[in-house]
Amino acid sequence: MIRLRVWIVAGLMCLASAMAVVARPSIRMADQGPAIDLETVFPRQFGDWRIDERVPVVVPSPDVQAQLDKIYSQVLARTYVNSRGERVMLSVAYGGDQSDSMQVHRPEVCYPAQGFQVLSVQRDALSGVAGRDIPVQKVHTRLGSRNEPVMYWVVVGERVVGTNTEQKLAQLSYGLRGRIPDGMLVRVSSIHPDNQAAYAAQERFLREIAQSIALQYQSRVFGSTDL
């Protein structure tokens, strides 16, 4: 039964790929709505959180930067801190043309490339974020004594996608309607020995920052509530 489902999905994807070639998508979703400027979309200060200026921005190596430039048009990296001393690292990557997959830069792929161990990957749902329940991936990573729980999601157009298959099907679905979707990967992480405490802080952070993101951008960051 599982093998049959795999073949059915593969067949549908092949059929959709062929149809997408014929359809020749030409409408860029990035040009249809408000322009995305990550520096503007994500506030520097909100609620009890502010950017921790003492933490330097880590610049990717030239080879990694070259790969990022092929897929994303903008990348944002910040570390926020609150009055309790909790720190959350926010990383956002945005691409105006997501007719191709972003999967090579999912955390469970890119963290090992930086020497981290991926100890577990699990699907979960983040509730109460801008009136949505967002499907997320939680990735437990470690580098030596550095324990770094990660939480992220991917948005294709206005759809939050969990797996690579869901991501590809969303891209093809837009393509069949003649639309070229944009896409965003939103990632938060914390250096903390306690995974549960880290994820709790991340969830509070995300619920609070969602309240400070302008309504016109929320479907691009958190997915549409109409889908």
Side-chain angles (χ1 to χ4, degrees), residues 27-64:
I27 302 174
R28 287 170 48 90
M29 293 183 66
D31 299 333
Q32 302 300 302
I36 297 293
D37 176 8
L38 297 182
E39 289 284 348
T40 301
V41 173
F42 293 87
R44 298 178 61 85
Q45 183 172 344
F46 57 93
D48 190 33
W49 298 89
R50 67 185 186 282
I51 292 180
D52 189 348
E53 304 289 358
R54 296 171 297 177
V55 178
V57 176
V58 178
V59 179
S61 61
D63 58 328
V64 172

Side-chain angles (χ1 to χ4, degrees), residues 11 34 36 46 62 71 74 88 93-94 116 147 157 191 195-196 213-214 223:
I36 297 293
F46 57 93
I71 299 176
Q74 298 180 53
V88 173
Y94 172 76
F116 283 79
N147 191 64
I191 301 174
N195 285 7
Q196 289 188 340
I213 291 179

Side-chain angles (χ1 to χ4, degrees), residues 98-110:
Q98 288 306 311
S99 52
D100 293 322
S101 176
M102 289 191 293
Q103 66 185 42
V104 292
H105 291 292
R106 287 175 178 259
E108 57 265 43
V109 175
C110 68

Side-chain angles (χ1 to χ4, degrees), residues 23-215:
R24 296 184 183 278
S26 59
I27 302 174
R28 287 170 48 90
M29 293 183 66
D31 299 333
Q32 302 300 302
I36 297 293
D37 176 8
L38 297 182
E39 289 284 348
T40 301
V41 173
F42 293 87
R44 298 178 61 85
Q45 183 172 344
F46 57 93
D48 190 33
W49 298 89
R50 67 185 186 282
I51 292 180
D52 189 348
E53 304 289 358
R54 296 171 297 177
V55 178
V57 176
V58 178
V59 179
S61 61
D63 58 328
V64 172
Q65 187 63 55
Q67 293 179 352
L68 292 174
D69 290 342
K70 292 179 181 179
I71 299 176
Y72 307 123
S73 53
Q74 298 180 53
V75 177
L76 177 71
R78 293 174 179 168
T79 297
Y80 290 83
V81 64
N82 63 13
S83 61
R84 300 166 60 180
E86 295 175 316
R87 286 179 172 78
V88 173
M89 293 176 285
L90 171 69
S91 178
V92 185
Y94 172 76
D97 181 347
Q98 288 306 311
S99 52
D100 293 322
S101 176
M102 289 191 293
Q103 66 185 42
V104 292
H105 291 292
R106 287 175 178 259
E108 57 265 43
V109 175
C110 68
Y111 267 71
Q114 301 173 63
F116 283 79
Q117 290 179 283
V118 173
L119 303 179
S120 67
V121 179
Q122 66 181 84
R123 300 188 68 172
D124 204 346
L126 180 61
S127 61
V129 176
R132 298 158 170 82
D133 293 336
I134 303 176
V136 298
Q137 300 278 26
K138 290 182 176 178
V139 186
H140 179 199
T141 74
R142 182 176 294 160
L143 178 60
S145 61
R146 170 173 170 156
N147 191 64
E148 186 172 341
V150 179
M151 185 190 310
Y152 80 94
W153 66 87
V154 174
V155 183
V156 175
E158 294 184 341
R159 299 184 182 184
V160 178
V161 295
T163 65
N164 291 332
T165 299
E166 290 175 359
Q167 182 174 332
K168 188 64 177 177
L169 289 174
Q171 293 164 340
L172 292 173
S173 174
Y174 280 115
L176 292 173
R177 288 179 285 158
R179 307 179 76 185
I180 301 173
D182 54 358
M184 188 177 296
L185 187 151
V186 182
R187 185 189 80 205
V188 291
S189 65
S190 310
I191 301 174
H192 200 291
D194 185 332
N195 285 7
Q196 289 188 340
Y199 285 131
Q202 292 171 17
E203 291 180 8
R204 290 196 301 272
F205 171 87
L206 290 169
R207 291 189 180 100
E208 291 183 35
I209 198 171
Q211 297 176 5
S212 299
I213 291 179
L215 184 61

